[in-house]
Amino acid sequence: MMQSHMLRHTFVTTKLDGGVSLRDVPIAARHVDPRTTTRYDRARKNLDRHPNYILAAYVISGT
């Protein structure tokens, strides 16, 4: 269960970071309630401090 939630969260966050509108993401994520996507949008601003996000940024940068 936890993995599927993390995948969905990553999917939504990536779409939002890529510029997909907050109105279109719930359709792609199959969120019944658009407020779910809004919560993900608010939470993604906290990712910069998350250890996994920092590690991923480091690996992607190639340094």
Side-chain angles (χ1 to χ4, degrees):
M1 178 70 176
M2 181 58 129
Q3 267 188 326
S4 64
H5 174 75
M6 290 174 66
L7 286 172
R8 179 173 278 199
H9 188 89
T10 301
F11 174 80
V12 169
T13 301
T14 303
K15 295 265 186 232
L16 292 170
D17 285 345
V20 177
S21 94
L22 192 55
R23 194 179 110 195
D24 294 333
V25 173
I27 296 166
R30 296 184 179 186
H31 285 157
V32 175
D33 187 344
R35 291 178 293 184
T36 303
T37 309
T38 303
R39 284 194 300 268
Y40 283 30
D41 183 43
R42 288 183 190 142
R44 75 187 171 115
K45 292 170 181 41
N46 295 327
L47 287 177
D48 291 335
R49 298 184 318 217
H50 194 282
N52 290 343
Y53 186 83
I54 293 168
L55 177 60
Y58 175 77
V59 170
I60 290 170
S61 72
T63 58

